[in-house]
């Protein structure tokens, strides 16, 4: 059971990092296309101004960087802890 606890701690930060990357990619690709589509159809109720949209993408990018870096730090920390436990207990 000790191993499954550490394996979850190793995998969880990687899953969180992949989710953050996926969210940024979704925002960059899908929302940009949807915004351009709203502009071309003159649907100004859902259109977001370029400055606001660029600000959203910039904020999302920096949040993604922070989550990925934190996830990698936690991944390596938990991996080292796992190796220490395995060496100690054999």
């Amino acid at each position: 059971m000790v191993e499954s606890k550490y394996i979850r701690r190793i995998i969880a930060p990687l899953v969180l990092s992949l989710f953050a990357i996926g969210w940024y990619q979704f925002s960059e690709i899908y929302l940009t296309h949807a915004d351009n589509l709203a502009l071309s159809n003159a649907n100004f109720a859902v259109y977001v101004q370029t400055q606001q949209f660029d600000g959203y993408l910039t904020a999302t990018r920096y949040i993604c960087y922070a989550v990925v870096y934190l996830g990698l730090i936690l991944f390596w920390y938990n991996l080292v802890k796992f190796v220490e436990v395995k060496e100690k207990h054999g």
Side-chain angles (χ1 to χ4, degrees), residues 12-67:
L14 295 178
V15 171
L16 181 64
S17 297
L18 289 174
F19 175 77
I21 293 168
W23 183 261
Y24 177 71
Q25 290 296 319
F26 166 79
S27 297
E28 189 176 44
I29 295 169
Y30 180 76
L31 294 180
T32 302
H33 177 69
D35 197 45
N36 290 337
L37 188 63
L39 181 62
S40 68
N41 290 334
N43 189 355
F44 298 114
V46 294
Y47 173 71
V48 179
Q49 293 180 356
T50 305
Q51 295 85 2
Q52 286 179 318
F53 195 70
D54 289 342
Y56 168 77
L57 285 179
T58 302
T60 305
R61 183 181 326 119
Y62 288 131
I63 291 169
C64 179
Y65 289 157
V67 169

Side-chain angles (χ1 to χ4, degrees), residues 50-89:
T50 305
Q51 295 85 2
Q52 286 179 318
F53 195 70
D54 289 342
Y56 168 77
L57 285 179
T58 302
T60 305
R61 183 181 326 119
Y62 288 131
I63 291 169
C64 179
Y65 289 157
V67 169
V68 168
Y69 290 144
L70 182 64
L72 289 175
I73 289 168
L74 288 173
F75 167 76
W76 285 109
Y77 175 78
N78 289 324
L79 187 62
V80 168
K81 286 296 209 185
F82 177 71
V83 170
E84 286 177 352
V85 167
K86 290 300 276 182
E87 287 177 350
K88 183 185 271 186
H89 292 94

